Amino acid sequence: MVQTQFNQSAREALADAAVDAKARKNLSWKQIAEASGLSVAFTTAAVLGQHPLPEKSANAVAELLGLGEDAALLLQTIPVRGSMPNRIPTDPTMYRFYEMLQVYGTTLKALVHEEFGDGIISAINFKLDVKKVADPEGGERAVITLDGKYLPTKPF
């Protein structure tokens, strides 16, 4: 039976334990995702408390991390989502995404609506990818792909 959480504390504690186990075992998110059979982005978000994992994936991740049966069950619950409790993030990496939305949010809204009409881009029917590429001017660049299904507003 599908179970759901009503506060974030249990999943936050599990995320802390999982990240600790990841470090102790010297694992990458990619290795954990390979065990789960799902994408790196989805698996990472799930382990950090933002998605439920299917039973088979939850069992594989819990086993790989040495977290036990209770953790495998908790990984399958529907969490209370939201990973920024203070609204404006203080972590520099997370803040830069917040800054990008502050600068380009209205531009993204205008361009999406011009292209698709009134509606939203789903964060549920969604794919995320992060890649490191060489910068022709030296150094490296981050390429982040946000791929969400467009859901038009339906008058009723």
Side-chain angles (χ1 to χ4, degrees), residues 97 100 128-132 141-147:
F97 285 102
M100 287 175 216
L128 166 70
D129 190 38
V130 178
K131 289 185 177 153
K132 178 170 54 171
R141 298 187 67 81
V143 176
I144 299 166
T145 303
L146 308 173
D147 180 350

Side-chain angles (χ1 to χ4, degrees), residues 34-66:
E34 287 169 352
S36 79
L38 301 168
S39 74
V40 173
F42 188 88
T43 301
T44 304
V47 172
L48 295 178
Q50 299 304 305
H51 294 302
L53 285 174
E55 181 179 2
K56 184 177 176 182
S57 298
N59 289 334
V61 168
E63 183 177 336
L64 177 66
L65 294 174

Side-chain angles (χ1 to χ4, degrees), residues 95-109:
Y95 180 80
R96 291 300 172 235
F97 285 102
Y98 174 79
E99 178 184 45
M100 287 175 216
L101 282 177
Q102 289 294 315
V103 174
Y104 292 104
T106 53
T107 300
L108 289 167
K109 176 182 169 49

